[in-house]
Amino acid sequence: MENEFLKIEEEIVRMLRTVYDPEIPVNIYDLGLIYNVEVDGGNVAIDMTFTSPSCPVADFIIDDVREKTESIEGVKSAQINLVFEPEWNKDMMTDEAKLELGLL
């Protein structure tokens, strides 16, 4: 059963890497905007944030995360929790994201 959860989690991460903020050429996962992914049976809870609390495309991105997560086989529902603690900072990005944005 644990292998199934790991498989779903890996697929969720793969899908999250296809979600982009239209203003930033890096996916939200590598930007460090995903704080936590929990799989409980077919229910998924994702804690995420934005680089700014006033992100103008927040609703679009949250809907994209939900739709892509719920499209994964074995996922019945996805709850997206928007959090701002801890506050996002550039250190949360992967090295690949920093390189893409010219920060390395």
Side-chain angles (χ1 to χ4, degrees):
M1 191 67 153
E2 186 174 324
N3 285 340
E4 185 65 26
F5 290 133
L6 291 175
K7 182 180 173 186
I8 290 174
E9 285 181 359
E10 287 175 4
E11 186 64 16
I12 290 168
V13 169
R14 190 182 72 73
M15 290 300 273
L16 292 173
R17 283 193 161 122
T18 69
V19 177
Y20 287 80
D21 180 321
E23 298 177 340
I24 304 173
V26 176
N27 68 74
I28 64 169
Y29 190 84
D30 289 334
L31 276 174
L33 301 182
I34 303 300
Y35 287 171
N36 190 43
V37 175
E38 284 198 26
V39 179
D40 182 14
N43 302 312
V44 175
I46 298 174
D47 293 343
M48 66 174 293
T49 195
F50 291 105
T51 57
S52 165
S54 60
C55 177
V57 291
D59 290 340
F60 168 79
I61 294 172
I62 289 171
D63 288 343
D64 199 21
V65 168
R66 181 179 298 107
E67 288 174 16
K68 287 183 176 181
T69 301
E70 289 179 344
S71 75
I72 297 169
E73 185 177 337
V75 174
K76 296 175 189 169
S77 68
Q79 178 180 341
I80 314 305
N81 304 309
L82 187 58
V83 297
F84 291 101
E85 293 289 328
E87 186 176 329
W88 179 87
N89 66 67
K90 293 176 184 173
D91 292 334
M92 295 174 170
M93 294 189 298
T94 64
D95 286 342
E96 292 84 0
K98 290 175 185 174
L99 186 62
E100 178 72 26
L101 296 173
L103 300 174
L104 276 183

XYZ file of all heavy atoms in Angstrom:
829
model
N 0.817 -1.192 0.000
C 0.000 0.000 0.000
C 0.867 1.265 0.000
O 0.548 2.232 -0.634
C -0.938 -0.047 1.213
C -2.000 0.994 1.157
S -3.132 0.660 -0.193
C -4.576 1.402 0.400
N 1.983 1.208 0.741
C 2.866 2.374 0.807
C 3.446 2.701 -0.561
O 3.621 3.864 -0.903
C 3.984 2.130 1.820
C 4.837 3.368 2.043
C 5.842 3.176 3.152
O 5.525 2.501 4.145
O 6.941 3.720 3.016
N 3.741 1.668 -1.345
C 4.251 1.903 -2.694
C 3.256 2.665 -3.543
O 3.637 3.487 -4.367
C 4.623 0.579 -3.370
C 5.920 0.006 -2.827
O 6.726 0.716 -2.243
N 6.095 -1.280 -3.005
N 1.965 2.381 -3.362
C 0.920 3.086 -4.115
C 0.908 4.567 -3.735
O 0.789 5.432 -4.590
C -0.445 2.447 -3.858
C -1.556 3.052 -4.687
C -1.386 2.810 -6.184
O -0.749 1.824 -6.584
O -1.897 3.633 -6.963
N 1.060 4.866 -2.441
C 1.098 6.260 -1.997
C 2.308 6.976 -2.582
O 2.212 8.111 -3.030
C 1.115 6.367 -0.464
C -0.173 5.966 0.184
C -0.176 5.118 1.269
C -1.390 6.427 -0.287
C -1.369 4.736 1.879
C -2.581 6.062 0.310
C -2.571 5.209 1.397
N 3.464 6.309 -2.571
C 4.669 6.913 -3.124
C 4.503 7.162 -4.620
O 4.927 8.199 -5.126
C 5.893 6.034 -2.860
C 6.356 5.934 -1.416
C 7.500 4.937 -1.282
C 6.762 7.293 -0.880
N 3.882 6.219 -5.304
C 3.639 6.381 -6.738
C 2.734 7.586 -6.997
O 3.004 8.391 -7.889
C 3.005 5.108 -7.295
C 2.748 5.152 -8.769
C 2.114 3.851 -9.241
C 1.711 3.973 -10.697
N 0.980 2.797 -11.165
N 1.679 7.727 -6.187
C 0.776 8.878 -6.347
C 1.512 10.170 -6.032
O 1.382 11.158 -6.758
C -0.488 8.712 -5.470
C -1.359 7.583 -6.032
C -1.277 10.015 -5.399
C -2.560 7.221 -5.171
N 2.308 10.187 -4.961
C 3.063 11.393 -4.608
C 4.026 11.782 -5.723
O 4.161 12.961 -6.049
C 3.814 11.210 -3.292
C 2.917 11.269 -2.078
C 3.688 11.112 -0.775
O 4.929 10.929 -0.806
O 3.042 11.167 0.272
N 4.710 10.804 -6.294
C 5.633 11.086 -7.394
C 4.892 11.664 -8.596
O 5.372 12.586 -9.250
C 6.377 9.819 -7.802
C 7.431 9.396 -6.816
C 8.071 8.062 -7.175
O 7.753 7.492 -8.247
O 8.899 7.592 -6.377
N 3.717 11.138 -8.873
C 2.918 11.630 -9.991
C 2.418 13.050 -9.711
O 2.377 13.895 -10.607
C 1.742 10.686 -10.271
C 0.950 11.043 -11.486
C 1.727 10.945 -12.798
O 2.808 10.326 -12.851
O 1.238 11.519 -13.795
N 2.073 13.321 -8.456
C 1.641 14.678 -8.082
C 2.783 15.662 -8.319
O 2.583 16.730 -8.911
C 1.158 14.720 -6.615
C -0.167 13.955 -6.474
C 1.003 16.160 -6.138
C -0.575 13.703 -5.040
N 3.980 15.314 -7.884
C 5.140 16.196 -8.090
C 5.374 16.405 -9.580
O 5.617 17.533 -10.033
C 6.401 15.635 -7.394
C 7.649 16.395 -7.827
C 6.237 15.687 -5.882
N 5.273 15.330 -10.359
C 5.446 15.457 -11.812
C 4.418 16.434 -12.390
O 4.756 17.287 -13.203
C 5.319 14.089 -12.485
C 5.723 14.102 -13.953
C 5.544 12.754 -14.616
N 4.152 12.407 -14.842
C 3.376 12.962 -15.784
N 3.868 13.888 -16.568
N 2.134 12.586 -15.930
N 3.177 16.329 -11.939
C 2.125 17.224 -12.436
C 2.354 18.664 -11.959
O 2.130 19.611 -12.712
C 0.746 16.730 -11.997
C 0.322 15.451 -12.695
S 0.214 15.615 -14.481
C -1.433 16.187 -14.644
N 2.784 18.821 -10.712
C 3.032 20.171 -10.190
C 4.135 20.869 -10.975
O 4.143 22.088 -11.089
C 3.375 20.120 -8.700
C 2.226 19.703 -7.777
C 2.729 19.530 -6.362
C 1.081 20.703 -7.843
N 5.039 20.100 -11.507
C 6.119 20.687 -12.316
C 5.622 21.149 -13.684
O 6.397 21.687 -14.468
C 7.264 19.695 -12.453
C 8.103 19.619 -11.188
C 9.412 18.896 -11.423
N 10.359 19.227 -10.377
C 10.934 18.338 -9.593
N 10.652 17.053 -9.726
N 11.786 18.729 -8.667
N 4.344 20.939 -13.981
C 3.764 21.447 -15.230
C 2.930 22.704 -14.990
O 2.334 23.241 -15.917
C 2.880 20.392 -15.928
O 1.687 20.166 -15.162
C 3.632 19.087 -16.134
N 2.881 23.171 -13.742
C 2.107 24.360 -13.393
C 3.062 25.550 -13.277
O 4.035 25.499 -12.536
C 1.342 24.160 -12.062
C 0.596 25.431 -11.674
C 0.391 22.973 -12.157
N 2.734 26.593 -14.019
C 3.583 27.791 -14.039
C 2.783 29.026 -13.686
O 1.606 29.139 -14.029
C 4.169 28.002 -15.447
C 5.241 27.021 -15.815
C 4.923 25.738 -16.248
C 6.583 27.370 -15.726
C 5.915 24.830 -16.587
C 7.576 26.458 -16.072
C 7.233 25.197 -16.498
O 8.215 24.311 -16.827
N 3.437 29.945 -13.016
C 2.922 31.302 -12.897
C 3.195 31.935 -14.253
O 4.334 31.883 -14.733
C 3.689 32.043 -11.796
C 3.222 33.472 -11.601
O 2.916 34.157 -12.600
O 3.200 33.918 -10.446
N 2.187 32.520 -14.910
C 2.405 33.068 -16.254
C 3.510 34.130 -16.337
O 4.021 34.386 -17.411
C 1.051 33.679 -16.610
C 0.068 33.038 -15.712
C 0.811 32.650 -14.470
N 3.876 34.717 -15.206
C 4.885 35.774 -15.216
C 6.289 35.268 -14.907
O 7.247 36.021 -14.995
C 4.491 36.858 -14.212
C 3.169 37.523 -14.566
C 2.740 38.551 -13.542
O 3.232 38.506 -12.389
O 1.913 39.396 -13.897
N 6.413 33.976 -14.524
C 7.709 33.438 -14.124
C 7.967 32.167 -14.937
O 7.142 31.270 -14.942
C 7.736 33.116 -12.610
C 7.371 34.362 -11.797
C 9.097 32.577 -12.193
C 7.217 34.107 -10.309
N 9.115 32.058 -15.590
C 9.381 30.903 -16.457
C 9.864 29.644 -15.720
O 10.645 28.870 -16.250
C 10.465 31.436 -17.399
C 11.230 32.387 -16.554
C 10.189 33.047 -15.675
N 9.421 29.456 -14.471
C 9.816 28.308 -13.671
C 8.556 27.723 -13.041
O 7.672 28.476 -12.610
C 10.826 28.715 -12.571
C 11.169 27.545 -11.670
C 12.091 29.302 -13.185
N 8.469 26.405 -12.969
C 7.274 25.778 -12.396
C 7.175 26.030 -10.897
O 8.173 26.318 -10.232
C 7.243 24.285 -12.716
C 8.327 23.518 -12.011
O 8.264 23.283 -10.812
N 9.354 23.123 -12.757
N 5.959 25.914 -10.376
C 5.711 26.259 -8.973
C 6.410 25.327 -7.998
O 6.753 25.741 -6.891
C 4.204 26.334 -8.659
C 3.535 24.969 -8.833
C 3.527 27.394 -9.508
C 2.120 24.899 -8.299
N 6.652 24.091 -8.405
C 7.343 23.149 -7.514
C 8.794 23.576 -7.331
O 9.289 23.660 -6.207
C 7.240 21.722 -8.044
C 7.716 20.701 -7.051
C 6.860 20.224 -6.062
C 9.027 20.228 -7.072
C 7.285 19.298 -5.127
C 9.461 19.310 -6.143
C 8.591 18.850 -5.174
O 9.031 17.942 -4.244
N 9.480 23.843 -8.436
C 10.888 24.244 -8.342
C 11.056 25.650 -7.766
O 12.124 25.972 -7.234
C 11.566 24.135 -9.703
C 11.773 22.671 -10.112
O 11.865 21.796 -9.225
O 11.840 22.403 -11.324
N 10.008 26.463 -7.855
C 10.054 27.776 -7.208
C 9.980 27.662 -5.685
O 10.266 28.616 -4.982
C 8.901 28.659 -7.687
C 9.115 29.410 -8.985
C 7.820 30.110 -9.397
C 10.241 30.414 -8.872
N 9.584 26.494 -5.204
C 9.468 26.301 -3.756
C 8.119 26.730 -3.218
O 7.984 26.972 -2.017
N 7.120 26.816 -4.069
C 5.797 27.261 -3.637
C 4.962 26.144 -3.030
O 3.932 26.409 -2.416
C 5.035 27.894 -4.812
C 5.712 29.104 -5.466
C 4.819 29.653 -6.574
C 6.049 30.183 -4.453
N 5.398 24.913 -3.184
C 4.682 23.775 -2.603
C 5.358 23.424 -1.286
O 6.533 23.051 -1.251
C 4.696 22.553 -3.552
C 4.091 22.915 -4.901
C 3.974 21.371 -2.907
C 2.644 23.382 -4.857
N 4.612 23.561 -0.195
C 5.180 23.305 1.124
C 4.960 21.876 1.599
O 5.771 21.323 2.321
C 4.581 24.260 2.151
C 5.084 25.688 2.041
C 4.481 26.700 2.780
C 6.150 26.042 1.227
C 4.925 28.006 2.713
C 6.604 27.341 1.151
C 5.992 28.321 1.905
O 6.435 29.614 1.833
N 3.830 21.282 1.215
C 3.524 19.945 1.717
C 2.507 19.272 0.807
O 1.600 19.934 0.297
C 2.959 20.037 3.137
C 2.849 18.694 3.806
O 3.751 17.873 3.712
N 1.741 18.450 4.479
N 2.680 17.970 0.614
C 1.719 17.144 -0.118
C 1.419 15.944 0.762
O 2.334 15.229 1.183
C 2.287 16.663 -1.473
C 1.305 15.711 -2.151
C 2.621 17.839 -2.376
N 0.131 15.741 1.076
C -0.273 14.590 1.870
C -1.297 13.795 1.094
O -2.244 14.357 0.554
C -0.873 15.033 3.205
C 0.170 15.477 4.191
C -0.345 15.498 5.618
O -1.283 14.750 5.945
O 0.206 16.287 6.381
N -1.095 12.490 1.064
C -2.021 11.582 0.405
C -2.641 10.705 1.479
O -1.933 10.039 2.237
C -1.298 10.719 -0.651
C -2.273 9.757 -1.303
C -0.615 11.595 -1.683
N -3.961 10.716 1.542
C -4.705 9.906 2.498
C -5.758 9.145 1.709
O -6.814 9.698 1.398
C -5.341 10.785 3.567
C -6.091 9.975 4.615
O -5.909 8.746 4.668
O -6.868 10.577 5.381
N -5.417 7.908 1.355
C -6.295 7.162 0.457
C -6.286 7.866 -0.887
O -5.240 8.130 -1.446
N -7.446 8.218 -1.393
C -7.534 8.943 -2.648
C -7.654 10.435 -2.474
O -7.866 11.166 -3.436
N -7.531 10.906 -1.234
C -7.654 12.332 -0.951
C -6.272 12.952 -0.793
O -5.428 12.416 -0.091
C -8.484 12.558 0.313
C -9.862 11.949 0.178
O -10.539 12.156 -0.822
N -10.277 11.185 1.162
N -6.088 14.078 -1.442
C -4.798 14.758 -1.423
C -4.981 16.150 -0.835
O -5.939 16.850 -1.172
C -4.219 14.869 -2.849
C -2.937 15.688 -2.855
C -3.981 13.490 -3.444
N -4.081 16.535 0.047
C -4.045 17.896 0.587
C -2.683 18.494 0.239
O -1.649 17.880 0.493
C -4.255 17.892 2.097
N -2.721 19.665 -0.363
C -1.494 20.352 -0.760
C -1.464 21.715 -0.090
O -2.403 22.499 -0.226
C -1.424 20.520 -2.293
C -1.389 19.150 -2.971
C -0.215 21.370 -2.691
C -1.461 19.199 -4.488
N -0.387 21.980 0.640
C -0.146 23.311 1.208
C 0.776 24.031 0.247
O 1.837 23.509 -0.107
C 0.523 23.220 2.577
C -0.379 22.607 3.636
O -1.603 22.545 3.426
O 0.159 22.176 4.679
N 0.357 25.206 -0.166
C 1.183 25.977 -1.097
C 1.093 27.453 -0.767
O 0.240 27.883 -0.007
C 0.760 25.728 -2.545
C -0.617 26.229 -2.922
S -0.964 26.057 -4.688
C 0.209 27.221 -5.389
N 1.995 28.212 -1.354
C 2.048 29.647 -1.150
C 2.303 30.327 -2.484
O 2.325 29.688 -3.529
C 3.138 30.002 -0.119
O 2.945 31.349 0.318
C 4.538 29.828 -0.693
N 2.499 31.609 -2.448
C 2.866 32.397 -3.619
C 4.035 33.293 -3.246
O 4.287 33.541 -2.077
C 1.684 33.242 -4.119
C 0.594 32.407 -4.717
C -0.577 32.174 -4.033
C 0.748 31.822 -5.967
C -1.574 31.381 -4.571
C -0.236 31.033 -6.522
C -1.404 30.809 -5.820
N 4.719 33.784 -4.262
C 5.851 34.668 -3.994
C 5.373 35.972 -3.378
O 6.133 36.660 -2.724
C 6.647 34.957 -5.275
O 5.766 35.514 -6.250
C 7.277 33.681 -5.821
N 4.098 36.292 -3.590
C 3.496 37.494 -3.040
C 2.051 37.203 -2.665
O 1.332 36.568 -3.449
C 3.529 38.618 -4.078
O 2.679 39.680 -3.717
N 1.594 37.677 -1.504
C 0.196 37.455 -1.118
C -0.804 38.087 -2.091
O -1.954 37.685 -2.145
C 0.085 38.111 0.260
C 1.471 38.198 0.763
C 2.353 38.341 -0.442
N -0.355 39.037 -2.869
C -1.264 39.717 -3.799
C -1.089 39.218 -5.235
O -1.302 39.968 -6.184
C -1.050 41.222 -3.727
O 0.283 41.535 -4.076
N -0.727 37.949 -5.404
C -0.519 37.370 -6.728
C -1.791 37.520 -7.559
O -2.853 37.030 -7.171
C -0.146 35.899 -6.595
S 0.054 35.063 -8.178
N -1.709 38.203 -8.707
C -2.907 38.459 -9.505
C -3.480 37.223 -10.193
O -4.635 37.238 -10.607
C -2.437 39.484 -10.541
C -0.962 39.290 -10.630
C -0.518 38.826 -9.276
N -2.717 36.147 -10.293
C -3.210 34.939 -10.957
C -3.360 33.771 -9.966
O -3.381 32.605 -10.367
C -2.308 34.549 -12.142
C -2.417 35.552 -13.264
C -0.870 34.360 -11.700
N -3.520 34.091 -8.695
C -3.610 33.060 -7.661
C -4.737 32.071 -7.941
O -4.524 30.854 -7.869
C -3.790 33.701 -6.288
N -5.915 32.560 -8.246
C -7.050 31.665 -8.483
C -6.782 30.732 -9.655
O -7.088 29.538 -9.597
C -8.331 32.455 -8.730
C -8.831 33.156 -7.476
O -8.442 32.748 -6.366
O -9.611 34.117 -7.617
N -6.202 31.247 -10.720
C -5.869 30.444 -11.890
C -4.894 29.324 -11.532
O -5.069 28.168 -11.915
C -5.281 31.338 -12.990
C -4.645 30.578 -14.109
C -5.408 29.997 -15.107
C -3.264 30.430 -14.155
C -4.811 29.267 -16.130
C -2.655 29.710 -15.183
C -3.442 29.130 -16.177
N -3.864 29.664 -10.772
C -2.840 28.681 -10.401
C -3.434 27.628 -9.465
O -3.201 26.423 -9.648
C -1.612 29.367 -9.775
C -0.919 30.235 -10.827
C -0.649 28.328 -9.195
C 0.193 31.113 -10.285
N -4.210 28.039 -8.484
C -4.828 27.088 -7.554
C -5.750 26.137 -8.311
O -5.728 24.922 -8.077
C -5.588 27.834 -6.437
C -4.583 28.509 -5.498
C -6.493 26.878 -5.656
C -5.205 29.451 -4.489
N -6.551 26.657 -9.224
C -7.430 25.802 -10.032
C -6.627 24.829 -10.878
O -6.991 23.659 -11.019
C -8.343 26.642 -10.930
C -9.433 27.359 -10.153
O -9.701 26.986 -8.986
O -10.025 28.309 -10.713
N -5.521 25.291 -11.444
C -4.664 24.432 -12.260
C -4.072 23.308 -11.414
O -4.048 22.141 -11.837
C -3.568 25.274 -12.916
C -2.910 24.606 -14.116
O -3.517 23.690 -14.710
O -1.795 25.029 -14.473
N -3.597 23.632 -10.218
C -3.049 22.625 -9.308
C -4.128 21.596 -8.974
O -3.888 20.384 -9.032
C -2.491 23.281 -8.023
C -2.188 22.232 -6.960
C -1.256 24.102 -8.337
N -5.319 22.055 -8.620
C -6.405 21.146 -8.260
C -6.771 20.237 -9.439
O -6.856 19.015 -9.294
C -7.636 21.913 -7.799
C -8.793 20.996 -7.376
C -10.013 21.754 -6.901
N -9.714 22.551 -5.717
C -9.598 23.884 -5.713
N -9.771 24.580 -6.822
N -9.322 24.528 -4.603
N -6.993 20.826 -10.610
C -7.405 20.049 -11.776
C -6.349 19.016 -12.167
O -6.681 17.863 -12.448
C -7.693 20.973 -12.952
C -8.961 21.774 -12.796
C -9.161 22.804 -13.900
O -8.499 22.718 -14.951
O -9.990 23.710 -13.691
N -5.096 19.404 -12.178
C -4.047 18.471 -12.572
C -3.860 17.367 -11.532
O -3.629 16.206 -11.882
C -2.743 19.208 -12.839
C -2.817 19.993 -14.134
C -1.531 20.680 -14.488
C -1.682 21.361 -15.847
N -0.477 22.027 -16.274
N -3.985 17.707 -10.272
C -3.865 16.701 -9.218
C -5.026 15.719 -9.289
O -4.831 14.503 -9.195
C -3.797 17.373 -7.835
O -2.674 18.258 -7.798
C -3.651 16.333 -6.731
N -6.229 16.218 -9.477
C -7.400 15.338 -9.532
C -7.439 14.501 -10.806
O -8.179 13.523 -10.867
C -8.685 16.151 -9.378
C -8.856 16.675 -7.960
C -10.107 17.512 -7.757
O -10.724 17.960 -8.752
O -10.477 17.726 -6.580
N -6.628 14.836 -11.797
C -6.589 14.044 -13.024
C -5.727 12.789 -12.878
O -5.733 11.921 -13.753
C -6.059 14.893 -14.188
O -4.653 15.083 -14.084
N -5.011 12.676 -11.769
C -4.116 11.542 -11.540
C -4.922 10.322 -11.109
O -5.790 10.411 -10.232
C -3.061 11.905 -10.473
C -2.187 13.057 -10.971
C -2.226 10.695 -10.093
C -1.298 13.665 -9.915
N -4.612 9.190 -11.716
C -5.283 7.949 -11.361
C -5.065 7.644 -9.884
O -3.946 7.707 -9.382
C -4.738 6.797 -12.211
C -5.467 5.501 -11.989
C -4.972 4.388 -12.885
O -4.397 4.682 -13.950
O -5.171 3.231 -12.505
N -6.144 7.348 -9.180
C -6.075 7.043 -7.755
C -6.397 8.227 -6.869
O -6.615 8.067 -5.675
N -6.455 9.430 -7.441
C -6.798 10.627 -6.668
C -8.283 10.906 -6.840
O -8.774 11.055 -7.954
C -5.970 11.850 -7.112
C -6.457 13.111 -6.404
C -4.488 11.621 -6.843
N -9.001 10.950 -5.711
C -10.441 11.236 -5.737
C -10.710 12.731 -5.603
O -11.606 13.268 -6.234
C -11.145 10.494 -4.600
C -11.072 8.995 -4.712
C -11.684 8.347 -3.491
C -11.420 6.850 -3.506
N -11.773 6.233 -2.239
N -9.940 13.381 -4.733
C -10.141 14.815 -4.518
C -8.831 15.459 -4.095
O -7.947 14.800 -3.541
C -11.200 15.061 -3.442
O -10.715 14.646 -2.173
N -8.736 16.742 -4.380
C -7.548 17.512 -3.991
C -7.996 18.780 -3.280
O -8.809 19.531 -3.808
C -6.711 17.857 -5.209
N -7.483 18.962 -2.097
C -7.735 20.188 -1.332
C -6.464 21.013 -1.365
O -5.394 20.548 -0.960
C -8.116 19.865 0.106
C -8.328 21.110 0.944
C -8.716 20.760 2.368
O -9.158 19.665 2.660
N -8.522 21.709 3.269
N -6.583 22.237 -1.858
C -5.429 23.127 -1.948
C -5.540 24.159 -0.834
O -6.505 24.924 -0.776
C -5.362 23.829 -3.322
C -5.584 22.837 -4.470
C -4.056 24.587 -3.450
C -4.665 21.640 -4.486
N -4.558 24.156 0.051
C -4.540 25.087 1.180
C -3.512 26.174 0.902
O -2.331 25.879 0.764
C -4.174 24.348 2.469
C -5.098 23.185 2.741
O -6.307 23.329 2.723
N -4.524 22.017 2.970
N -3.963 27.394 0.832
C -3.069 28.528 0.614
C -2.559 29.008 1.965
O -3.347 29.352 2.850
C -3.819 29.643 -0.118
C -3.004 30.823 -0.581
C -1.881 30.375 -1.511
C -3.903 31.821 -1.291
N -1.241 28.978 2.124
C -0.622 29.373 3.393
C 0.464 30.416 3.130
O 1.038 30.467 2.047
C -0.024 28.152 4.132
C -1.114 27.161 4.502
C 1.041 27.460 3.304
N 0.741 31.219 4.127
C 1.793 32.228 3.999
C 2.789 32.153 5.152
O 3.545 33.075 5.388
C 1.184 33.634 3.879
C 0.462 33.819 2.571
C -0.921 33.732 2.514
C 1.160 34.027 1.399
C -1.584 33.874 1.306
C 0.513 34.159 0.181
C -0.865 34.079 0.139
N 2.777 31.026 5.851
C 3.743 30.757 6.911
C 4.374 29.424 6.623
O 3.636 28.431 6.508
C 3.073 30.742 8.275
C 2.550 32.082 8.729
C 3.644 33.055 9.088
O 4.702 32.596 9.568
O 3.456 34.252 8.890
N 5.636 29.305 6.470
C 6.591 30.406 6.489
C 6.483 31.233 5.209
O 6.030 30.744 4.181
C 7.945 29.696 6.553
C 7.708 28.377 5.889
C 6.284 28.011 6.206
N 6.891 32.464 5.331
C 6.889 33.357 4.182
C 7.892 32.856 3.145
O 9.018 32.496 3.469
C 7.264 34.767 4.639
C 7.163 35.800 3.562
C 7.452 37.202 4.087
O 7.161 37.491 5.259
O 7.982 38.002 3.297
N 7.455 32.830 1.875
C 8.320 32.356 0.806
C 9.519 33.283 0.637
O 9.414 34.498 0.801
C 7.545 32.304 -0.516
C 8.383 31.841 -1.663
C 8.602 30.566 -2.052
C 9.140 32.671 -2.561
N 9.448 30.523 -3.134
C 9.796 31.808 -3.463
C 9.331 34.040 -2.697
C 10.617 32.284 -4.492
C 10.150 34.505 -3.701
C 10.779 33.626 -4.582
N 10.686 32.682 0.324
C 11.858 33.477 -0.019
C 12.657 32.721 -1.074
O 12.428 31.536 -1.327
C 12.696 33.822 1.218
C 13.321 32.607 1.842
O 14.196 31.977 1.252
N 12.865 32.249 3.050
N 13.589 33.376 -1.686
C 14.353 32.811 -2.809
C 15.146 31.561 -2.436
O 15.466 30.752 -3.298
C 15.275 33.867 -3.405
C 14.525 34.986 -4.073
C 15.456 36.074 -4.566
C 14.657 37.218 -5.141
N 15.476 38.357 -5.493
N 15.461 31.396 -1.164
C 16.212 30.215 -0.736
C 15.394 28.935 -0.877
O 15.950 27.838 -0.840
C 16.669 30.370 0.716
C 17.707 31.460 0.871
O 18.421 31.750 -0.120
O 17.810 32.030 1.976
N 14.086 29.054 -1.051
C 13.212 27.883 -1.185
C 13.224 27.298 -2.597
O 12.741 26.196 -2.816
C 11.792 28.246 -0.775
C 11.667 28.614 0.678
S 10.026 29.196 1.055
C 10.099 29.245 2.835
N 13.817 28.016 -3.532
C 13.873 27.543 -4.914
C 14.946 26.471 -5.070
O 15.958 26.487 -4.367
C 14.192 28.697 -5.872
C 13.104 29.740 -5.959
S 13.370 30.948 -7.281
C 14.878 31.731 -6.814
N 14.717 25.576 -6.028
C 15.750 24.606 -6.368
C 16.890 25.334 -7.083
O 16.709 26.456 -7.597
C 15.204 23.505 -7.296
O 14.808 24.099 -8.543
C 14.049 22.757 -6.674
N 18.037 24.700 -7.139
C 19.159 25.293 -7.861
C 18.822 25.486 -9.333
O 19.247 26.464 -9.952
C 20.416 24.438 -7.720
C 21.037 24.545 -6.335
O 20.717 25.508 -5.605
O 21.850 23.664 -5.982
N 18.042 24.556 -9.897
C 17.638 24.668 -11.301
C 16.813 25.932 -11.527
O 16.996 26.641 -12.520
C 16.847 23.435 -11.747
C 17.664 22.171 -11.820
C 17.804 21.452 -10.472
O 17.259 21.921 -9.438
O 18.481 20.416 -10.437
N 15.905 26.213 -10.590
C 15.075 27.418 -10.703
C 15.933 28.674 -10.590
O 15.765 29.628 -11.353
C 13.992 27.419 -9.628
N 16.864 28.679 -9.649
C 17.743 29.832 -9.467
C 18.574 30.063 -10.729
O 18.755 31.206 -11.157
C 18.651 29.628 -8.268
C 17.916 29.681 -6.943
C 18.857 29.352 -5.803
C 18.108 29.284 -4.491
N 18.962 28.837 -3.383
N 19.066 28.978 -11.329
C 19.851 29.082 -12.551
C 18.999 29.659 -13.691
O 19.431 30.566 -14.408
C 20.405 27.717 -12.935
C 21.365 27.665 -14.104
C 22.625 28.477 -13.798
C 21.737 26.231 -14.421
N 17.788 29.160 -13.830
C 16.880 29.637 -14.884
C 16.573 31.128 -14.730
O 16.450 31.847 -15.711
C 15.567 28.837 -14.822
C 14.530 29.278 -15.825
C 14.871 28.888 -17.258
O 15.600 27.913 -17.474
O 14.399 29.599 -18.170
N 16.494 31.585 -13.498
C 16.176 33.001 -13.233
C 17.420 33.874 -13.120
O 17.325 35.058 -12.810
C 15.317 33.121 -11.975
C 13.936 32.462 -12.076
C 13.232 32.489 -10.728
C 13.093 33.158 -13.146
N 18.600 33.284 -13.338
C 19.831 34.054 -13.300
C 20.274 34.428 -11.895
O 20.981 35.428 -11.719
N 19.895 33.636 -10.916
C 20.259 33.944 -9.541
C 21.465 33.139 -9.068
O 21.889 33.271 -7.928
C 19.066 33.685 -8.616
C 17.814 34.504 -8.927
C 16.663 34.068 -8.048
C 18.092 35.995 -8.731
N 22.020 32.320 -9.944
C 23.227 31.550 -9.595
C 24.363 31.965 -10.508
O 24.203 32.296 -11.630
C 23.003 30.056 -9.763
C 22.357 29.333 -8.604
C 22.268 27.839 -8.892
C 23.084 29.557 -7.301
